[in-house]
Amino acid sequence: MTVIIITAVGVGELLTGAAPTSVDSLSGPVSSDFPVESVQIPLAASSRDADSSVHGWLKRGAHGGGMILLVHSIRSNRVEMLSRAKFLNGQGYGVLLIDLQAHGETPGERITFGVLESEDVEAAVAYLRENFPSERIAAIGVSLGAAAIALASHPLRLDAVVLESLHPTIEEAVENRLKLHLGEFGPMFSPLLLWQLSYRLNISPEALNPITRIGELNTPLLLISGTDDRHTTMAETKRLFDAARQPKEMWIVPGGGHFNMHAYAGKEYEDRILNFLESYMPEGEK
């Protein structure tokens, strides 16, 4: 039993520990062929430090072309979304890539699986609305980034949303990962690990379930997952889809796993994203 408890504590620390990175040291391709503006977006009233801000990169697009917020996955940073930013900007969209709290250069003590991260998304959307008032605005979130969008406590004024590799509940996310790394007996540790997460974050597990909030996204939705994703199954994705409002679309990528879907599906990914965005964000001022 002692070994199990120590293991759960260690895994809990690994899952929630901050993942800071000096993003500028990784940004050679940005400065050379994709020049961007570094931005720091202040947070509204928050449980975090008063001087906390969301760090990101802004790349302007064609006037009237629309703005896209890009939100990375867990233990990553804005660099993960760079390939998406380049292809979208090439089509005339402006893009804002952010580091979620406790990731990259945005400060934070612990990863909270979308709860505090949703404040960063809200701040980023407000920033885009204030600075680009005539533009249509969409968001693309991957895994943790998708959860941060779905768990926003205030309505997001978005014209379209793409959620990739999103889990429906924190319980299923934990169980799937334990099974993947520890085998068939892995899920038996789930209650202890969920208790660890709740204790470390001071958040109830129910507050971490995107499926209870996805129906509140009052915006066109494209939900993307892969047939071979062992972190979030097709059945779980379909439950999320059923819980979402219309208009909505779902794309299950053959052979896709829990990884960068743009890198995997390439041109088909780009075509799907552009067709979806063009349907709800036609070029021209609002």
Side-chain angles (χ1 to χ4, degrees):
M1 178 61 71
T2 301
V3 173
I4 293 175
I5 293 174
I6 291 174
T7 300
V9 170
V11 173
E13 176 63 31
L14 178 64
L15 289 175
T16 65
T21 307
S22 178
V23 174
D24 284 341
S25 66
L26 306 173
S27 60
V30 177
S31 59
S32 61
D33 69 350
F34 194 68
V36 296
E37 303 171 42
S38 292
V39 297
Q40 292 188 34
I41 303 168
L43 289 168
S46 168
S47 59
R48 284 179 268 170
D49 293 338
D51 61 349
S52 290
S53 60
V54 181
H55 291 240
W57 288 324
L58 176 69
K59 176 73 171 177
R60 299 171 190 269
H63 181 67
M67 299 294 299
I68 314 294
L69 172 64
L70 300 172
V71 196
H72 63 79
S73 65
I74 194 167
R75 308 202 73 79
S76 184
N77 56 57
R78 71 189 98 148
V79 175
E80 176 189 1
M81 308 303 287
L82 190 54
S83 69
R84 291 172 176 82
K86 289 180 176 180
F87 104 75
L88 288 166
N89 191 247
Q91 296 296 318
Y93 293 100
V95 290
L96 175 61
L97 305 77
I98 63 170
D99 289 339
L100 293 170
Q101 71 93 32
H103 292 80
E105 295 177 337
T106 298
E109 296 298 319
R110 291 202 175 273
I111 298 168
T112 66
F113 303 95
V115 175
L116 290 180
E117 292 82 3
S118 68
E119 296 178 1
D120 304 324
V121 169
E122 291 180 13
V125 172
Y127 171 87
L128 290 173
R129 285 292 175 200
E130 180 179 355
N131 289 277
F132 302 93
S134 66
E135 297 285 355
R136 290 177 171 83
I137 298 173
I140 299 176
V142 179
S143 189
L144 174 63
I149 294 170
L151 292 175
S153 59
H154 300 96
L156 295 174
R157 295 171 54 209
L158 293 169
D159 297 288
V161 168
V162 180
L163 303 180
E164 303 180 27
S165 306
L166 176 64
H167 56 273
T169 69
I170 190 65
E171 290 88 350
E172 288 164 301
V174 167
E175 288 182 2
N176 289 343
R177 285 156 179 77
L178 287 173
K179 184 176 181 180
L180 179 62
H181 295 290
L182 300 178
E184 291 297 326
F185 295 104
M188 68 182 294
F189 300 112
S190 181
L192 186 56
L193 185 52
L194 287 169
W195 173 83
Q196 268 286 310
L197 295 181
S198 180
Y199 172 77
R200 287 180 180 277
L201 303 178
N202 194 28
I203 298 169
S204 70
E206 291 74 19
L208 302 172
N209 293 340
I211 197 167
T212 66
R213 303 290 296 279
I214 196 169
E216 298 174 21
L217 280 176
N218 189 20
T219 184
L221 170 67
L222 173 59
L223 196 61
I224 300 176
S225 189
T227 59
D228 295 355
D229 189 341
R230 297 170 65 187
H231 295 77
T232 300
T233 67
M234 283 192 296
E236 291 166 2
T237 300
K238 290 175 180 176
R239 282 174 41 229
L240 280 167
F241 183 75
D242 290 342
R245 294 185 183 186
Q246 294 283 3
K248 57 186 176 181
E249 301 176 20
M250 180 170 60
W251 179 34
I252 303 296
V253 184
H258 200 80
F259 40 66
N260 190 320
M261 210 63 77
H262 182 214
Y264 177 76
K267 183 65 164 55
E268 184 176 5
Y269 176 93
E270 295 180 2
D271 290 343
R272 294 263 187 171
I273 295 294
L274 292 176
N275 288 339
F276 175 73
L277 294 177
E278 288 166 3
S279 295
Y280 300 102
M281 296 174 60
E283 187 173 355
E285 295 188 32
K286 293 181 68 175

